[in-house]
Amino acid sequence: YHVQVRAGASLTWTDWLLATPDTSAAFNPPAPDFGERVYFRVQARDQAGNWSTWSAEVSTLAARYTLGGQVLNIRHEPVAVATKSTSPAALGIVSQAGGRFLAFLEDGGTYQVTAQRDQTFGSLPPMNNVAVAGNVSGLVFVLPPKDDAVQNGGFEAGLAGWTQGGASAPSATAHTGLGAARLDGSGGSASLVQVVTPAAGMTQAYLSIMARLAAPGEASTLQIRLSKEGSPDPPEIHEVSLTSDTWTHAWFALGNLQGEPLTVALIVSGTPAILVDEVSLGTAQPGGNWIYLPLSWY
């Protein structure tokens, strides 16, 4: 094959690969103009030595960096065909299997990243201040349920809707949006409590939360207590062990607590401060899957 390339508004084709048997290659120009459209065309030779005419041109955009992540539901299952966007705008965003996506960026800097699938899920605030100085991966977006019973679970209104105890306070270090909550149990106990009323007929109900250490250092534990309002039954207790300042998604099935008014308590006691964000309680709608089907033409 002969392969030629031209860039931008130039009409001049330049040889890139000559008489190569390879059917793929990495195009790495020495001084690319990122964001510029690059065009390619190919000419093929058959076993008798005959060269074809040049193919129709195809094009792509030169990207400096990539930004990748995954979109999930509250049960940590992938969400297919969610809408993703960045600000500043990406050159392009490709949806991949398993709820994953890859955005191609013209340059580094600070980005805002949004993931949504409003037909099935609730609205999730954008992820702000994503620093890009190289390829970025591992961003996680957990779409809340449409029937979310938690008030101000993203702490965008400070601690409104929650009863606070001990060293609990709003935090400007958030997973998504502009707010989170900080619970510091290093000097005793800190807690946030809210009574929630799940929607009637709710099934497959889960509690979902994002959490991380407030700062790198000693491990900490977040305790989550779920109890029926006015019931003598002991609460359900879940614990999330945190060992880093990377956001972690935790989720728990409500089981027998479905459909009941519940007290949700988030507690940190005797361990270093943690941050919590995106507390939600609702139906874990399936996120769908990419399905590949064989096709035949006759």
Side-chain angles (χ1 to χ4, degrees):
Y1 302 92
H2 291 335
V3 185
Q4 292 185 330
V5 62
R6 67 181 180 88
S10 173
L11 300 178
T12 302
W13 289 98
T14 302
D15 291 335
W16 173 35
L17 303 172
L18 293 176
T20 177
D22 298 328
T23 55
S24 65
F27 181 66
N28 292 309
D33 188 355
F34 295 110
E36 184 177 58
R37 187 161 291 278
V38 182
Y39 301 83
F40 299 87
R41 67 179 185 179
V42 65
Q43 190 180 37
R45 186 179 68 188
D46 64 19
Q47 291 184 348
N50 303 305
W51 284 97
S52 71
T53 58
W54 287 102
S55 69
E57 65 185 31
V58 296
S59 68
T60 188
L61 292 167
R64 183 185 295 270
Y65 300 124
T66 59
L67 183 152
Q70 188 176 24
V71 185
L72 305 167
N73 68 3
I74 59 172
R75 196 164 52 185
H76 209 80
E77 297 171 332
V79 174
V81 298
T83 300
K84 284 81 62 175
S85 63
T86 70
S87 179
L91 298 172
I93 300 178
V94 177
S95 295
Q96 301 171 316
R100 292 178 173 83
F101 67 91
L102 194 64
F104 297 90
L105 308 179
E106 181 176 350
D107 209 346
T110 301
Y111 283 78
Q112 182 185 81
V113 188
T114 302
Q116 295 175 306
R117 191 177 167 192
D118 292 341
Q119 310 96 308
T120 309
F121 298 91
S123 179
L124 183 69
M127 187 177 292
N128 296 299
N129 303 317
V130 178
V132 177
N135 294 335
V136 174
S137 62
L139 303 184
V140 174
F141 295 83
V142 180
L143 299 185
K146 273 193 174 295
D147 57 2
D148 187 5
V150 178
Q151 179 186 348
N152 188 32
F155 302 100
E156 297 302 287
L159 300 183
W162 296 88
T163 299
Q164 66 184 97
S168 55
S171 170
T173 302
H175 181 246
T176 59
L178 300 175
R182 185 178 190 273
L183 291 86
D184 187 355
S186 58
S189 179
S191 64
L192 291 171
V193 179
Q194 183 176 144
V195 178
V196 302
T197 303
M202 182 183 290
T203 59
Q204 293 294 313
Y206 280 72
L207 175 76
S208 172
I209 188 170
M210 299 296 298
R212 51 159 279 195
L213 294 179
E218 185 182 348
S220 189
T221 300
L222 171 66
Q223 186 180 94
I224 301 170
R225 294 185 184 181
L226 303 175
S227 55
K228 292 182 182 180
E229 275 293 282
S231 171
D233 296 338
E236 286 190 7
I237 299 177
H238 305 280
E239 291 189 343
V240 182
S241 296
L242 300 168
T243 59
S244 78
D245 59 345
T246 299
W247 287 100
T248 296
H249 179 217
W251 65 103
F252 307 97
L254 293 192
N256 293 331
L257 298 178
Q258 290 183 166
E260 302 282 350
L262 298 174
T263 297
V264 177
L266 311 177
I267 302 168
V268 178
S269 181
T271 56
I274 66 167
L275 302 179
V276 296
D277 200 1
E278 297 173 33
V279 184
S280 62
L281 188 154
T283 303
Q285 293 287 355
N289 291 285
W290 288 96
I291 298 176
Y292 297 90
L293 299 176
L295 298 177
S296 299
W297 283 266
Y298 296 94

